[in-house]
């Protein structure tokens, strides 16, 4: 049954988010699929990157919904926001095909070091599949610069450090694509301990921001059973909101 939060062509209003509850916030649910708000720091499923961990979003969600779930896509451990899942194989397969055909629109918010020169730009830079997968495949991410700001912290011979708020829209889904594309541009993602800039990460930690600043803000896709256009949004958490407030940027 529908949760009652969906109307054809409408923008779904997310539920309030508490601080890392055992149950993940459900942003949208019907009998075929759901979109949940994954908190930063929680791995989606067991993998070689788990390092012996036993707490995964997939396990929580199976218990939370009381039934099988099928993950349609993934989010990195340190990334928060919209996670799409299905309750049956047919729905998962249909959504997966839509995802592969690049018909699912995924919008992320990211805070990076520096000010990208252009307001809108695209990175077309092939990436490998991560550990054990050396073959490079096409990887495309569209970016939009939403806001810029400076902190009174010396950087690279300049008296201040510059930062930008970006909207990122990956067209493909490669391993850590947004993070690695930002590194390719030398506009490292703040809080990224694998591909980021340690000095800038420390600047944010000193100001109380202790997470990677990448958030899956919005998902837009066609419902696999009735053709409706679903648009689901996830609110930023307290840590991400703190970084926006630090620069006087509006809460997204």
């Amino acid at each position: 049954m529908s949760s009652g939060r969906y109307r054809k062509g409408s923008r779904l209003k997310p539920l309030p988010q508490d601080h890392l509850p055992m149950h993940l916030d459900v942003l949208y649910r019907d009998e075929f699929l759901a979109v949940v708000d994954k908190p930063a720091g929680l791995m989606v499923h067991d993998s070689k990157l788990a390092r012996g961990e036993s707490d995964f979003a997939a396990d929580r969600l199976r218990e939370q919904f009381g039934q099988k779930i099928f993950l349609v896509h993934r989010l990195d451990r340190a990334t928060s926001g919209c996670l799409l899942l299905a309750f049956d194989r047919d729905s998962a397969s249909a959504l997966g095909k839509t995802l592969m055909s690049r018909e699912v629109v995924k919008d992320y918010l990211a805070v990076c070091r520096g000010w990208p020169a252009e307001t809108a730009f695209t990175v077309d830079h092939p990436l490998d599949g991560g550990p054990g997968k050396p073959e490079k495949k096409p990887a495309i991410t569209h970016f939009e610069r939403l806001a810029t700001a400076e902190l009174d912290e010396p950087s690279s011979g300049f008296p201040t450090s510059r930062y930008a708020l970006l909207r990122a829209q990956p067209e493909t889904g490669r391993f850590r694509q947004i993070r690695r594309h930002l590194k390719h541009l030398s506009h490292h993602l703040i809080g990224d301990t694998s591909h980021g800039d340690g000095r800038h990460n420390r600047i944010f930690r000193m100001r109380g921001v202790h997470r990677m600043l990448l958030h899956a803000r919005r998902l837009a896709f066609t419902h696999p059973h009735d053709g409706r256009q679903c648009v689901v949004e996830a609110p930023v958490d307290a840590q991400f909101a703190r970084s926006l407030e630090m620069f006087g940027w509006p809460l997204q």
Side-chain angles (χ1 to χ4, degrees):
M1 296 297 292
S2 170
S3 65
R5 295 182 179 84
Y6 178 78
R7 298 193 307 275
K8 185 176 181 180
S10 67
R11 185 179 303 279
L12 301 176
K13 293 183 178 180
L15 301 175
Q17 183 182 18
D18 295 322
H19 178 66
L20 238 66
M22 277 303 294
H23 280 206
L24 277 65
D25 285 338
V26 179
L27 304 173
Y28 171 70
R29 180 184 181 182
D30 62 30
E31 60 184 303
F32 303 107
L33 60 91
V35 181
V36 300
D37 189 0
K38 187 195 82 67
L42 179 65
M43 288 202 72
V44 172
H45 63 102
D46 197 0
S47 73
K48 293 180 180 179
L49 301 175
R51 298 196 294 269
E53 295 181 33
S54 59
D55 185 16
F56 304 103
D59 295 333
R60 289 193 187 190
L61 291 167
R62 277 190 286 270
E63 182 176 354
Q64 181 172 332
F65 289 119
Q67 63 184 105
K68 286 185 177 180
I69 62 139
F70 300 83
L71 296 169
V72 177
H73 72 122
R74 309 288 190 268
L75 293 176
D76 292 343
R77 178 209 312 263
T79 304
S80 58
C82 293
L83 181 67
L84 176 62
L85 58 97
F87 295 121
D88 62 87
R89 291 187 184 278
D90 289 342
S91 297
S93 177
L95 286 167
K97 290 176 182 176
T98 301
L99 193 69
M100 292 296 291
S101 66
R102 304 182 184 180
E103 294 176 10
V104 176
V105 178
K106 297 178 287 183
D107 285 343
Y108 291 75
L109 291 176
V111 178
C112 73
R113 64 176 292 267
W115 293 356
E118 299 177 340
T119 302
F121 54 99
T122 295
V123 178
D124 185 348
H125 177 68
L127 297 170
D128 62 38
K133 299 178 181 178
E135 181 185 358
K136 290 190 175 184
K137 296 183 178 181
I140 301 171
T141 309
H142 307 289
F143 290 96
E144 180 184 0
R145 192 186 70 214
L146 301 177
T148 59
E150 293 180 90
L151 286 179
D152 188 20
E153 293 280 353
S155 176
S156 302
F158 295 95
T160 61
S161 294
R162 292 182 169 187
Y163 301 98
L165 176 65
L166 306 177
R167 177 183 292 119
Q169 193 176 89
E171 189 174 314
T172 50
R174 307 301 175 214
F175 177 72
R176 296 178 175 175
Q177 178 172 314
I178 295 172
R179 300 161 62 176
R180 295 165 76 192
H181 274 173
L182 287 172
K183 179 183 178 181
H184 176 68
L185 297 176
S186 293
H187 287 297
H188 304 81
L189 181 69
I190 298 301
D192 185 350
T193 58
S194 299
H195 312 284
D197 184 307
R199 196 187 75 81
H200 290 277
N201 292 347
R202 286 191 294 274
I203 289 173
F204 276 72
R205 284 198 296 269
M206 289 171 60
R207 286 166 169 76
V209 178
H210 299 276
R211 59 155 296 182
M212 186 175 76
L213 295 179
L214 183 63
H215 176 67
R217 180 72 172 96
R218 177 178 176 271
L219 272 180
F221 58 93
T222 301
H223 198 286
H225 292 281
D226 55 32
R228 293 177 294 175
Q229 182 67 15
C230 300
V231 181
V232 188
E233 293 189 352
V236 297
D237 65 14
Q239 286 275 307
F240 207 115
R242 185 184 184 95
S243 70
L244 300 177
E245 293 167 358
M246 187 166 64
F247 294 119
W249 293 336
L251 193 64
Q252 301 293 311

